[in-house]
Amino acid sequence: MQPSLEKLRKFFRLEHENKYPNTAIIGGLAKMLDYWEGEARADGIAEEVIQAVVSRLRSYEKLSPDGRAESLKGLWKRIGETYPEAAQKPKPAEAPRPSAPADEAPPQPVESTESIAQTEAQQPQQQTQQKPRPAPAPQKPRSESVPGARTSQTPTALNASTTVLQGVGPRHAESLASLGMKDLGDMLYYYPRRYEDYSQLKPIKSLFYGEVVTVLGTIQSVHTRPIRGGKSSLVEVVIGDGTGSIRLSFFNQPWLANRFKQGNAISVSGKVDQYLGRLVMNSPDWEPVEVENLHTARIVPIYPLTEKITQKWLRGIMNQVVSQYAPVVADALPEKIKLAAKLVSLGEALMQAHFPVSQQRLKAARERLAFDEIFYLQMGALRQKRDWKSVEARRFSVSTEWLGDRLTSLPFALTSAQQKSLEDIRADLDSGKPMNRLVQGDVGSGKTVVAALGAAIVIDNGSQAAIMAPTSILAEQHYRNFTSLLEGDGRIMNRGEIRLLVGSTPETEKEAIRQGLQNGSVKMVIGTHAVIEPDILFKDLQFIVIDEQHRFGVEQRKELRSKGTNPHLLVMTATPIPRSLALTVFGDLDTSVIDEMPLGRIPVNTHTLRPQERERAFTLIRGQIKEGRQAFIVYPLIDRDASEKVEARAAVDDFESLSKEIFPELKLGLLHGRMKPAEKDDVMMKFRDGEYNILVSTTVVEVGVDVPNSTVMLIEGADRFGLAQLHQLRGRVGRGAEQSYCLLIPTHEDATENERLQAMAQTNSGFELADLDLKIRGPGEFLGTRQAGFASSLKMASITDVSLIEKAREQAQALFERDPYLEQPEHALLAESFGRFWGAGKGDVS
């Protein structure tokens, strides 16, 4: 049988054995069409068979399991195979029945939250008494489902609406649904956002500066006063516990004054700060104290709420579900992995995550639930990588002499990191498998030349390359760099074989480019989204470069890949990715790191100034412009009207005063996100060409054109940016031969000691800053378009927990080597859970 049909048969059989969940390939069977169609034609498969497969697989996701079975049955016959006999289905057993609605049975007393504090000895016994039993297949997977939530052995009651619970009517069910809890299974995985540990309370007199604690106290006084000239307000609450008192400060939350009543008891959690020698807490978390919790000395869960729901009511409802169903949820994780990783059972983890008996058991529960999430993420990344590498790709090789000539012709020598990345690319191109590589390097580290040399290898072998950038300014910059490196006398390409294609390209020129790409006279196209338009067709596209890949959606990357037959893919980012993220979210990509700067590059001097020192920054700018340089002034907001509650300076508001009062003799340009793309390009190009001395902008300049003549980057409201963003902005200067400066001015004087700003002043290493930013701000800035898919999956895991990630990765790799597609009978439940975790289309090999 031809390889393409053999591959089809394997995936069809996997679907059949798992009862048609559309999980034989990550993201669904239709994903295989990305490469299968080209392979089938290469194998000489009849076109009508190819079209039948394409048509049925594209609609496969929308079919019911029975419809999918019929669809594949027809395709089995099309490819000349015998349809496998139906697998024996286990008879469903009745699951434990949930609590009946109040109007169907007499109300039962709700078990108190304290009563679930079971001992270590009781827990295993309870689990042996209530073994999971087979049940009918669950309903269609939903994105809020998580590992282990549903399998074929899950009690059917967990698919029941929350209205079956005692005390939950239609209105409460609607409120629960708004929090993501549509049925009982969702409730099991709706974790507390934090815990009040009444077993480890500290008296106020024993508090010390810098510790994060929970204290109980009675409200002694509440005062509201205006600050900063009446533009803001401050609510001050003093609480005492008999041993001492502490002041709580809440900025710009005047409504809180009505919620704090003198004499009421509250619990407060936060960091102890100091002001004028007194201990204070700024904007701490707080809860009214329930009297029954005061005397229990236990750990109480605090859940995220919505209006019309209280903590006490939700805890009671949660207790009904958790105590009855957590012990009987099927645990899909193999026993061998649990023993090796020293993990508790899933039932124990769910019980302790909601109603922990001790900090030790809570920690073990959170580790188990977080492990599951990272484990499934790792398995998915490994499978994606394997699927990608199972495809054949054209080989492109060049001699060492040829490459040496290209390197000699460069006006500079490559750094050792650039040379290593180039060797990685060269090996990928000659491997016979499609390259899927991420090159990450600091701003100005020289990623472009590495990509250009990779493209040169493919073009020298007679094929074409495409480079896609997120903005037309960046595309034009790449165009200038690539043409200077590859086109002209003594170079591998003739003039006119590299073309620029952006939205503003004239139609007559676009038509010439389209024809050139189709007939092969255009060897390389560089552009924006314009290069993925339907009428852009290539004669032989074999090399794709996507710059700042996190700014493109999965579909856009997929569309560009589809314009060639299994093309080699190189994605680049100037946002250094921390190691833990590289191991998880980007684990399906091979990675090259350019972590050293070209010789002669002068580090940017970075300083943090207090707001009242702003004139010092203006003086430096005037001095630099007098010497013929240029400057950026960047703001966090476009204008203040859009964010009335935010106390931060804004670009549009300050532009007028900067132009008329502070720099009246200079030419200033204004750039922000509300401008049309053509307007933004015009302003940026005028600044590049020296028509403006100063560019006043928002963060739209974060990724932009090189202006080697700019030597000052002044960032207003710097405390409002993440480290990755600050570092990207700093990278806009320091690209020439002159000393450059980055000046950081926070919103308020007390933010001058901000941890991020101090780190910026201490190092120019993007990789050091990326690790710190991940710890401070989380993974959002690094994930880009991948973020949406992973954010809903990682409810308990922290992307910053490198030790847990490595533990999960080790176990996932070991299992993957034994059973990559989870086809062995003992992994049936694991395959179901894995399919559900990845069922929402998380991640993409692009």
Side-chain angles (χ1 to χ4, degrees):
M1 180 180 282
Q2 295 98 324
S4 57
L5 290 186
E6 179 61 33
K7 193 169 294 183
L8 204 63
R9 189 187 68 80
K10 182 180 89 170
F11 289 130
F12 284 5
R13 182 170 292 279
L14 191 58
E15 273 293 292
H16 171 72
E17 290 172 353
N18 289 323
K19 304 181 183 67
Y20 310 100
N22 196 24
T23 57
I25 289 180
I26 293 170
L29 280 184
K31 293 285 278 185
M32 73 181 295
L33 296 177
D34 293 353
Y35 57 83
W36 183 85
E37 204 173 343
E39 285 186 358
R41 288 196 177 93
D43 286 344
I45 306 299
E47 189 62 30
E48 61 268 22
V49 174
I50 294 174
Q51 291 307 317
V53 172
V54 170
S55 174
R56 296 205 184 192
L57 292 192
R58 279 186 178 152
S59 60
Y60 188 76
E61 181 183 10
K62 300 174 183 176
L63 300 175
S64 66
D66 288 340
R68 291 172 182 172
E70 287 301 314
S71 182
L72 290 193
K73 193 172 184 178
L75 288 180
W76 278 99
K77 293 177 182 176
R78 277 276 193 174
I79 64 175
E81 284 287 297
T82 304
Y83 183 69
E85 293 183 10
Q88 290 284 322
K89 293 184 180 180
K91 290 184 179 180
E94 186 180 352
R97 195 168 177 269
S99 305
D103 56 356
E104 290 183 15
Q108 300 296 315
V110 178
E111 185 182 5
S112 72
T113 54
E114 288 75 34
S115 67
I116 69 158
Q118 301 161 337
T119 63
E120 292 278 359
Q122 288 174 318
Q123 187 68 26
Q125 185 179 13
Q126 186 180 33
Q127 288 177 333
T128 56
Q129 289 171 348
Q130 301 185 40
K131 291 183 179 179
R133 291 178 286 177
Q139 299 168 357
K140 185 179 178 182
R142 295 202 306 271
S143 60
E144 60 264 30
S145 297
V146 290
R150 321 286 169 86
T151 67
S152 58
Q153 292 188 19
T154 298
T156 52
L158 287 180
N159 291 325
S161 165
T162 56
T163 54
V164 303
L165 294 171
Q166 183 178 342
V168 180
R171 288 187 179 178
H172 273 134
E174 193 175 319
S175 297
L176 290 172
S178 71
L179 292 170
M181 292 180 279
K182 296 175 182 175
D183 56 37
L184 306 190
D186 294 334
M187 294 186 71
L188 276 182
Y189 288 87
Y190 189 75
Y191 302 128
R193 62 184 172 89
R194 62 184 180 87
Y195 303 86
E196 296 283 18
D197 190 352
Y198 293 111
S199 66
Q200 296 183 11
L201 290 173
K202 288 189 76 169
I204 291 176
K205 73 171 184 179
S206 301
L207 301 181
F208 58 86
Y209 172 75
E211 67 177 335
V212 178
V213 294
T214 296
V215 296
L216 283 178
T218 302
I219 296 174
Q220 297 176 343
S221 65
V222 182
H223 295 289
T224 303
R225 62 185 176 88
I227 57 174
R228 301 190 181 105
K231 294 180 180 179
S232 305
S233 65
L234 179 68
V235 176
E236 292 183 316
V237 181
V238 177
I239 64 169
D241 66 353
T243 70
S245 62
I246 188 170
R247 185 180 302 274
L248 318 175
S249 298
F250 299 89
F251 296 92
N252 289 330
Q253 301 175 66
W255 59 89
L256 288 180
N258 297 323
R259 297 183 60 185
F260 292 117
K261 305 295 182 185
Q262 193 169 341
N264 285 359
I266 61 172
S267 66
V268 181
S269 299
K271 184 178 180 180
V272 180
D273 286 319
Q274 204 167 24
Y275 181 68
L276 298 178
R278 292 183 174 182
L279 295 183
V280 298
M281 280 188 177
N282 293 316
S283 299
D285 285 327
W286 67 279
E287 295 284 343
V289 173
E290 298 163 18
V291 176
E292 60 266 34
N293 289 330
L294 282 173
H295 309 293
T296 58
R298 68 179 303 271
I299 304 169
V300 177
I302 305 296
Y303 293 94
L305 297 178
T306 186
E307 57 183 345
K308 302 177 184 175
I309 287 183
T310 66
Q311 285 292 343
K312 184 175 182 179
W313 180 84
L314 184 55
R315 275 197 289 263
I317 296 300
M318 279 292 188
N319 183 51
Q320 291 185 54
V321 178
V322 173
S323 60
Q324 186 167 354
Y325 293 109
V328 297
V329 168
D331 194 342
L333 203 63
E335 203 64 35
K336 185 176 180 180
I337 291 178
K338 283 186 286 188
L339 288 171
K342 298 179 181 177
L343 301 170
V344 300
S345 70
L346 182 59
E348 160 76 0
L350 289 169
M351 289 286 291
Q352 297 302 317
H354 286 281
F355 299 104
V357 172
S358 65
Q359 288 287 350
Q360 183 180 2
R361 289 176 74 177
L362 172 60
K363 182 181 178 183
R366 292 178 65 88
E367 180 172 346
R368 164 60 205 268
L369 297 171
F371 179 94
D372 280 15
E373 294 172 352
I374 298 294
F375 178 82
Y376 285 101
L377 204 58
Q378 292 288 330
M379 285 292 291
L382 290 168
R383 190 183 286 188
Q384 282 186 332
K385 197 168 188 175
R386 183 188 181 103
D387 288 346
W388 187 251
K389 293 297 183 186
S390 70
V391 178
E392 296 297 319
R394 201 177 310 167
R395 291 177 181 270
F396 294 95
S397 61
V398 292
S399 66
T400 303
E401 291 75 22
W402 180 94
L403 189 59
D405 290 342
R406 302 286 82 72
L407 295 176
T408 303
S409 69
L410 295 175
F412 48 81
L414 296 188
T415 64
S416 58
Q418 285 174 307
Q419 290 174 358
K420 174 66 171 65
S421 297
L422 179 58
E423 284 304 315
D424 290 340
I425 292 170
R426 186 182 175 192
D428 287 348
L429 291 173
D430 195 23
S431 69
K433 302 292 181 183
M435 174 167 61
N436 195 35
R437 182 167 295 279
L438 169 69
V439 173
Q440 55 167 320
D442 232 331
V443 179
S445 60
K447 299 180 294 298
T448 303
V449 66
V450 171
L453 289 166
I457 293 172
V458 171
I459 290 169
D460 190 63
N461 279 269
S463 294
Q464 293 168 300
I467 289 82
M468 189 161 73
T471 67
S472 54
I473 292 175
L474 196 53
E476 185 184 327
Q477 178 177 301
H478 282 320
Y479 175 71
R480 288 198 312 275
N481 289 336
F482 274 72
T483 51
S484 68
L485 289 168
L486 302 177
E487 266 191 3
D489 297 336
R491 307 274 165 70
I492 71 160
M493 300 176 71
N494 299 317
R495 297 200 182 277
E497 290 184 336
I498 301 178
R499 300 300 294 270
L500 176 68
L501 182 62
V502 294
S504 60
T505 302
E507 187 54 42
T508 53
E509 194 174 334
K510 280 185 180 177
E511 181 56 33
I513 293 171
R514 284 193 286 264
Q515 291 180 9
L517 290 171
Q518 281 187 273
N519 64 34
S521 60
V522 173
K523 306 293 186 188
M524 179 189 296
V525 63
I526 300 172
T528 54
H529 303 79
V531 302
I532 59 173
E533 290 176 358
D535 56 354
I536 301 297
L537 302 173
F538 294 79
K539 182 181 180 182
D540 185 23
L541 177 63
Q542 286 294 314
F543 189 73
I544 294 170
V545 178
I546 299 179
D547 194 16
E548 294 305 330
Q549 62 92 25
H550 62 291
R551 292 174 179 261
F552 290 101
V554 168
E555 290 305 314
Q556 292 166 326
R557 299 195 295 268
K558 179 180 173 183
E559 187 67 33
L560 185 54
R561 280 208 324 269
S562 70
K563 292 185 179 292
T565 302
N566 302 333
H568 296 278
L569 179 69
L570 179 70
V571 294
M572 303 193 300
T573 179
T575 304
I577 298 168
R579 180 164 168 265
S580 58
L581 274 182
L583 287 173
T584 50
V585 179
F586 296 94
D588 57 314
L589 298 170
D590 295 315
T591 303
S592 296
V593 177
I594 302 179
D595 54 2
E596 56 183 306
M597 301 300 279
L599 291 173
R601 184 66 60 89
I602 304 173
V604 177
N605 281 346
T606 305
H607 305 277
T608 302
L609 304 177
R610 293 180 311 213
Q612 56 265 45
E613 294 179 299
R614 190 170 281 110
E615 186 53 45
R616 288 180 59 195
F618 295 156
T619 301
L620 175 64
I621 289 173
R622 289 189 194 98
Q624 288 291 301
I625 291 173
K626 193 173 182 179
E627 294 179 14
R629 317 281 174 236
Q630 292 165 280
F632 292 94
I633 302 180
V634 174
Y635 290 84
L637 301 176
I638 296 176
D639 56 52
R640 290 190 191 87
D641 292 338
S643 302
E644 293 178 3
K645 295 181 181 179
V646 178
E647 291 183 68
R649 302 175 79 92
V652 173
D653 297 331
D654 277 19
F655 179 73
E656 189 171 347
S657 62
L658 287 170
S659 304
K660 295 180 180 178
E661 300 170 21
I662 298 170
F663 303 110
E665 74 286 2
L666 302 177
K667 294 180 180 178
L668 279 70
L670 177 64
L671 183 69
H672 58 74
R674 288 194 202 141
M675 297 166 68
K676 294 178 181 177
E679 293 174 328
K680 286 191 279 190
D681 290 351
D682 182 59
V683 171
M684 196 70 217
M685 288 174 186
K686 284 181 177 177
F687 182 62
R688 182 195 68 195
D689 296 338
E691 294 184 38
Y692 294 130
N693 304 112
I694 299 171
L695 184 63
V696 178
S697 175
T698 57
T699 56
V700 292
V701 297
E702 180 187 344
V703 174
V705 70
D706 284 344
V707 185
N709 193 47
S710 58
T711 56
V712 181
M713 169 62 71
L714 168 59
I715 304 176
E716 289 278 6
D719 54 310
R720 299 179 57 81
F721 296 99
L723 269 171
Q725 231 177 355
L726 289 171
H727 185 60
Q728 289 290 305
L729 290 169
R730 176 166 62 182
R732 295 297 99 213
V733 298
R735 291 169 173 257
E738 306 300 326
Q739 178 65 60
S740 293
Y741 306 88
C742 179
L743 308 175
L744 309 170
I745 302 181
T747 311
H748 305 299
E749 183 174 359
D750 55 6
T752 308
E753 299 301 316
N754 180 289
E755 186 179 3
R756 294 192 297 278
L757 305 191
Q758 295 300 307
M760 281 287 293
Q762 290 165 9
T763 180
N764 275 275
S765 167
F767 291 93
E768 288 180 33
L769 295 173
D771 280 320
L772 181 58
D773 204 28
L774 184 63
K775 292 172 186 171
I776 296 172
R777 305 244 302 187
E781 296 215 0
F782 304 96
L783 301 189
T785 54
R786 290 189 171 207
Q787 183 182 9
F790 292 107
S792 62
S793 310
L794 302 183
K795 297 185 177 184
M796 191 64 81
S798 168
I799 292 291
T800 62
D801 191 345
V802 177
S803 61
L804 179 67
I805 287 169
E806 290 182 336
K807 182 195 286 189
R809 183 175 177 79
E810 180 184 344
Q811 295 300 324
Q813 283 179 320
L815 177 62
F816 190 79
E817 288 170 8
R818 298 194 306 272
D819 187 12
Y821 291 98
L822 303 178
E823 296 168 316
Q824 296 174 11
E826 65 268 26
H827 297 148
L829 278 183
L830 187 62
E832 287 183 40
S833 293
F834 173 81
R836 181 171 292 278
F837 181 81
W838 282 90
K842 304 170 183 72
D844 181 77
V845 293
S846 59

